[in-house]
Amino acid sequence: MEVNQQARCRELAKSSSFYSTVYSEIEEVGWEHLVRAGGDLSFLIFRVLDKKGRVHVTEIQLDKAYPRVPPMVSADVPYVFNLKWSMNSRLKNLVQQFEKHLEKLQAFWSTLDEIDRSLQIVDSKQASRAIPSRQIHVGNGCFIILFIDNNDPRSLPECRFMGLGNTVNSLRKTWKRNVDKWSFNVLFGNCPYCSEPIAVKINATKN
């Protein structure tokens, strides 16, 4: 966070109990984690690293009646955690709950990372960790959309096939024929054209 923004927050802290409360709680979390603060401190963005070093952000909206009114939380995750809040809760408690939520999603993001690194992803630069799907180009003008279960990312993904009629029908039939070869240590089973693995091997032992 920029020094001048921290100074502005410090000045605001002198003007009301709301600003003073928010300022002191930002300090508890750590200014190094604050990405941005709205002009009236009712909007905050914090950055957190997960165990794999991935960067995640959570956006927090504060009511002027804070902390009597719980914060509203959004984040770059497939689903937001249920915030546990009381009058004694502080921003550091919210961030700690966010960190625990990130721990639950490590296997899910590891699966997405392997897919992103190893397969031909459409619009790979736009791929988001909050979206549990990936569109993969498999050749001959055909695409497969994979939907990864964030609770069981090594399970067989739901698949949607896109492309020219005859080609995609053949692709779908071959996929169904080979689906029983699925193994949780192979992300994408076998190539529907050659029956060879086209996906990435991953550790079969869950974290």
Side-chain angles (χ1 to χ4, degrees):
M1 179 179 182
E2 295 181 1
V3 175
N4 60 344
Q5 190 164 279
Q6 183 175 349
R8 177 178 58 81
C9 294
R10 188 183 301 114
E11 287 301 312
L12 282 173
K14 300 175 183 178
S15 60
S16 76
S17 59
F18 170 79
Y19 294 135
S20 177
T21 296
V22 175
Y23 180 86
S24 64
E25 293 187 17
I26 292 174
E27 285 200 318
E28 289 179 349
V29 175
W31 291 99
E32 69 276 11
H33 296 294
L34 185 66
V35 177
R36 187 160 67 88
D40 60 355
L41 297 189
S42 64
F43 177 73
L44 306 170
I45 299 178
F46 286 104
R47 175 176 53 235
V48 175
L49 293 179
D50 67 20
K51 290 184 176 180
K52 297 291 186 179
R54 306 181 188 95
V55 178
H56 304 273
V57 296
T58 181
E59 299 180 359
I60 303 169
Q61 290 277 358
L62 301 178
D63 189 272
K64 289 298 182 182
Y66 175 86
R68 294 193 305 276
V69 176
M72 294 180 61
V73 183
S74 60
D76 61 336
V77 292
Y79 63 97
V80 179
F81 59 98
N82 294 319
L83 177 65
K84 296 179 181 178
W85 194 260
S86 72
M87 276 294 295
N88 296 321
S89 297
R90 302 171 71 84
L91 289 176
K92 67 177 181 180
N93 303 124
L94 185 157
V95 173
Q96 288 168 351
Q97 290 180 52
F98 181 51
E99 290 174 333
K100 289 182 179 179
H101 187 60
L102 297 181
E103 290 179 11
K104 298 176 182 178
L105 292 164
Q106 291 302 292
F108 168 70
W109 283 318
S110 291
T111 299
L112 286 186
D113 286 347
E114 293 294 336
I115 291 174
D116 292 343
R117 281 195 299 265
S118 305
L119 301 179
Q120 190 174 346
I121 308 299
V122 177
D123 295 327
S124 59
K125 293 183 179 180
Q126 304 300 319
S128 167
R129 292 195 182 100
I131 300 175
S133 64
R134 291 293 187 266
Q135 183 173 338
I136 299 168
H137 183 240
V138 293
N140 293 344
C142 292
F143 303 85
I144 297 177
I145 302 179
L146 296 181
F147 297 89
I148 309 300
D149 184 348
N150 52 66
N151 291 313
D152 189 10
R154 291 184 174 87
S155 63
L156 180 69
E158 178 186 344
C159 297
R160 185 176 301 165
F161 300 86
M162 301 171 59
L164 299 176
N166 291 335
T167 305
V168 80
N169 286 338
S170 175
L171 176 65
R172 188 180 291 111
K173 289 178 181 178
T174 309
W175 169 263
K176 289 180 179 179
R177 187 167 61 249
N178 290 326
V179 74
D180 61 344
K181 299 177 183 178
W182 175 263
S183 173
F184 66 84
N185 65 344
V186 178
L187 287 180
F188 186 63
N190 297 324
C191 173
Y193 298 111
C194 63
S195 297
E196 292 298 326
I198 65 171
V200 183
K201 298 286 185 179
I202 58 176
N203 193 336
T205 304
K206 295 187 177 182
N207 294 331

